[in-house]
Structure formats: C-alpha cells, structure tokens
Amino acid sequence: MRVVICGAGQVGYGIAERLASERNDVSVIDTSPTLVQAIRENLDARGFIGHGAHPEILAEAGAEQADMLIAVTLHDEVNMVACQVAHSLFNIPTKIARIRAQSYLQSHWQDLFSTDNMPIDVIISPEVEVGEMVLRRIALPGAMDAVRFADNSTAMVAIECRDDCPVVNTPLGQLTDLFPDLSATVVGILRGTNLFIPGSGDQMVAGDVAYVVVERTHVKRTLGLFGHAEPEATRIVIVGGGNIGYYVAREMERRDLRAKLRVIEANHDRAVSIADTLKRTIVLHGSGLDQGLLSEADIETSDLLVALTNDDKVNVLSSVMAKRLGCYGNLALLNNQDFQGLTRPLGIDAFINPRSVTISRVLQHVRRGRIRAVHSIQNGLAEAIEAEALETSPIVGTPIKELNLPEDLRIGAVYREGKFLKPTGNLKIRARDRVVIFAKAGAVRQVEQMFRVSLEFF
C-alpha cells in the first residue's frame, strides 16, 4: 500500500513507523526539517519538507500513485485542505483527517464532510476517542487497559497479576477446567518487557499483565478471579478541565452516571466557562498539585483521581499525591513514553496514551481485509483486532484446531448472530462471523490474509 502522511509529530511518526515496518510504501510531509530528518534517519520511509496541503509537495511525495492520505498535522484546517487537494487533484481513494475542533463535528454540520463538500472518508477526533477510553476505564475498575468489540458484546481487558492474585502459578488449561462456564480466554501475557502468546501449559506469575478477551457480562467476574474486585468509583476528581476532561464530565452527566464529580482546572477563564455548562459537577480553580485544593476536593475520601491535563508531569505527580492523601485509585493521561515505564513503581494504577489511541483508530482503516476495529497494545508490540469472515476467507469452515494458526496470534472470541462464542478447538468459523484476535506485531499480516477479500467474492 502507498500512503502519504501529512504531519510528522508523535502521531504521524507513530503511524509511519508502524506502516513502514510492515513494508508499506510510506511518504511523510512536515514543515519541520528536524522532524523530517528523524523520519529519514530512523524509518524506512521518505520524508519531505513542506506544507502538507500544497499540491506540489503532495505530488513530490507520490500522491498521484497513493492509495491513502492520512492528515494528522497540528492544524485542522491544513488537514481538511490536504484531503480536499488529495481528492480534487490526485483522486486518492481514501482520506483520513484528524479534526480536533468540536465546532466542525457538531451534528447539524454533518453534511460538511461529504464527497460533494469536504471529501474526508474518516474523521478522527482525539479528544472524543481518548474521552471514550477514559469512560471505559472508569466503568471497569481494576483493568489496566480495556477496549470493546463486536457491538459491545466482547471486551479485552489487561489485568495486573499481583502477589495475592488467586490464579497465578496455575496452568491456563487447568483454569479452563476449573471455570468451564466462564466466557474468557487469556490471549496474551506481558512479563517484564516480553509479550507472548500463552499456550494451555503456560501459567501466569506475579507481576505479569494478562490480556483477556471476555464476554461483556463476565468482565467483573473475571476481574474478581484475578483479585481485582474493586468497587465502582462513585466519587471522582478530574484534574484538568480541557477538552478531554470536560468531555468526560459532560458525558458522565449526560449518561446519568451516578458519581459525584469534581473538576480542578488551572486556567481561571476555562474553569468559569465549564462551571457554567456543567450542571452537577463542582469546578475548582487551581493546580492539581496544590495539596490544599486536593483536600478541598475531598481527595481523602475519593474513589478515583483522573489526571487529564496537557502536562504529563502534572498528571504523574497529582496521581501520586492523590494516593498519598488517601484516594483509592488513579488514572493518568501520559503522552511521553518514557514516563509510562514509571507508572507501576510510582503507584499509578492505569494510564492512557493518546498517541496510541489515535494510531489504533487510524490502523482500523489501514488494515486490509474486513477489519472492523483495531487496538494497539504496548506501543505496537501487539494488536487486538476484530475482523469479519467472508465466504472466501481461508479460515471459514475448518475447526480452529486444524487451522495451523501462527504461534504469534490467538483467537479470543467469535461473535455470531448476536451471541458470544468461546473459541474451542472444534468450533468452525462461519461466513459473517466476527472474530476477535490478539496478534503480535509480526503476525498482523497473517490476520489480514485470513480475512482477505477474494476476487471470488465479487
């Protein structure tokens, strides 16, 4: 696939890195010579210095032969114009744009992004994507990571195995025998920096992070079996009332989630603005690092602090302070990958990487075959993928145990006609089944081949 990426920042670089490693033909455009030089030196991709919406730069980057344009610069308007130019002058089939300003995305302007107006095929709003991820984490206390698949019938959760975890040092096959009615499958284990796909004879040890694909109604039971029967948070403090923090608070009010909310916002005008809009949330003006203000927000008796500012250091330190002051749990937004390795030693229960969330959303539309959803894991070490089987898909009609699947992937669940099916060896995948797969980075291509669209389909 030939892909032109406009923007070489964290997201653009991450997408280029992933696609280039899979031997796609990748060109990246940015106005910063430093960022372009990093692309040229570190990736198997071409870098071009210039404006991503200028026709001559797009032409130089190979837009005439491109299959896809991904516009992820810092400026919405540049991303929008780049897609328009890609459509009007180069007839690029698929155009993806990151749009951050919510004013463009309001429902009564929905005709703006259409073929006859602004031809953008896929719009990604990082604030909305990250906000929804935060809401899912709040709903699943005890999970380090969580994502939903197959019409919300299925979840993949990452669970830390602590010293007191009841299921450590037990072969996975034996766990299946002990809990035959539990619709859950351990599909991956992170041990230190090593991520592997476990077999039935493998067992988890203290310190592991287990990735489990589970039926939605069995999630809390599964967390409990791992020793994470944490109660649902009903008293929540949000540090940061920016786009993401405001979105989370507003959605919790709109969905009538019965939690007492307090938001701490450092900017006075912003604090006043969101206080006027939010109906049941108390908004406090000040720093999330102010111990007195945290106490005013009743942090000592709170169930959860969610740190969502634009400053990673504030997010880390406010999370640590909250725990020291008596808050039960914390969740931090972290952009810097260097900080992410410090979370467990510092006592941060879970974190969200906005870059990873955005890249996952893009990859959903880059993957070949009938790929419905993608979730990037551990900065690209693996992916959780939901794919739809077609009549011509190679995996249809053969028992799973006879498929000779690569060792670096595992089927976690099959969703058929509204029902969750646990993937036993005798189960045969049918056409139109939706399959949730956990695959290490090197096996993603095999997943695409398993669900490819054959010419026979047409």
Side-chain angles (χ1 to χ4, degrees), residues 24 40 63 107 202 211 227 234 247 263 280 293 310 376 432:
N24 292 287
R40 293 171 176 170
S107 58
D202 289 312
Y211 289 88
T234 58
Y247 178 88
V263 175
R280 301 189 304 276
L293 191 61
N310 291 323
S376 181
R432 291 180 294 280

Side-chain angles (χ1 to χ4, degrees), residues 153-232:
S153 70
T154 305
M156 188 206 70
V157 292
I159 312 172
E160 181 183 6
C161 299
R162 298 172 180 165
D163 293 330
D164 59 350
C165 177
V167 295
V168 296
N169 304 320
T170 304
L172 296 181
Q174 186 174 335
L175 289 177
T176 301
D177 295 335
L178 290 171
F179 307 102
D181 62 334
L182 182 65
S183 298
T185 303
V186 178
V187 292
I189 295 176
L190 178 68
R191 183 168 296 161
T193 58
N194 178 39
L195 180 68
F196 64 95
I197 308 297
S200 60
D202 289 312
Q203 52 189 281
M204 296 167 289
V205 300
D208 284 353
V209 175
Y211 289 88
V212 186
V213 175
V214 55
E215 186 177 4
R216 180 178 58 84
T217 57
H218 289 203
V219 170
K220 290 189 176 180
R221 182 186 172 195
T222 301
L223 288 168
L225 288 175
F226 277 79
H228 289 274
E230 283 90 339
E232 188 173 340

